[in-house]
């Protein structure tokens, strides 16, 4: 019997301010403002028949916590690589921080409001 294929998701949250410098003058997002960001790291793969899991949730937390610490209560525009911190750019930036140590990475989700989110599935092959 082949191991089960699953998706595992770990949530994270951070508070941060940003502004979008490349939107037109007068756009509300060009002004400094803040969000209570919510995110998800999703990994996909086969369940290890010995451990019974794909990845230990504690390992996912250990990987994402230092990244969240670089964002939480900061102005995102001041973080190297996030000079234009749209949800899309934040998702790509987080992916780039994780992919070297998390080969099963499937998706990064960034939610900046309760009704607006971005899903990033990695660079196209």
């Amino acid at each position: 019997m082949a191991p089960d294929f699953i998706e595992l998701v770990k949530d994270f949250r951070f508070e941060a301010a940003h502004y979008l410098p490349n939107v037109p003058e007068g756009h509300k997002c060009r002004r400094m403002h803040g969000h209570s960001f919510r995110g998800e790291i999703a990994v996909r793969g086969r369940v290890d028949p010995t451990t019974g899991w794909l990845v230990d949730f504690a390992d996912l937390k250990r990987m994402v916590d230092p990244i969240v610490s670089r964002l939480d209560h900061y102005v995102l525009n001041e973080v190297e690589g996030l000079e234009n911190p749209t949800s899309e750019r934040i998702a790509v930036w987080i992916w780039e921080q994780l992919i070297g140590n998390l080969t099963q990475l499937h998706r990064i989700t960034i939610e900046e409001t309760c009704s607006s989110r971005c899903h990033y599935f990695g660079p196209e092959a």
Side-chain angles (χ1 to χ4, degrees):
M1 178 179 201
D4 295 317
F5 188 84
I6 65 161
E7 179 176 273
L8 194 71
V9 179
K10 182 70 178 163
D11 291 351
F12 59 91
R13 297 177 187 277
F14 61 96
E15 309 288 331
H18 72 157
Y19 59 91
L20 302 181
N22 298 334
V23 298
E25 288 288 339
H27 191 288
K28 67 181 182 177
C29 293
R30 192 171 176 111
R31 295 187 304 271
M32 179 77 72
H33 62 284
H35 295 285
S36 295
F37 288 93
R38 182 187 161 283
E40 295 179 352
I41 299 170
V43 293
R44 280 186 162 187
R46 303 252 174 234
V47 174
D48 182 290
T50 303
T51 64
W53 61 37
L54 170 61
V55 176
D56 186 345
F57 281 115
D59 290 341
L60 290 177
K61 181 173 175 26
R62 272 192 291 279
M63 286 183 226
V64 77
D65 280 354
I67 295 167
V68 170
S69 292
R70 293 175 63 191
L71 305 175
D72 190 40
H73 284 81
Y74 283 94
V75 175
L76 298 180
N77 303 70
E78 297 172 359
V79 175
E80 187 176 340
L82 289 177
E83 293 79 12
N84 182 28
T86 62
S87 290
E88 296 88 338
R89 297 284 184 216
I90 296 166
V92 171
W93 186 86
I94 292 172
W95 178 284
E96 290 170 350
Q97 308 305 303
L98 287 170
I99 192 61
N101 296 316
L102 191 57
T103 57
Q104 306 98 323
L105 187 58
H106 172 68
R107 172 177 52 85
I108 299 292
T109 297
I110 296 297
E111 186 176 295
E112 66 177 54
T113 70
C114 58
S115 63
S116 301
R117 75 189 58 80
C118 165
H119 300 293
Y120 179 64
F121 296 92
E124 287 188 339

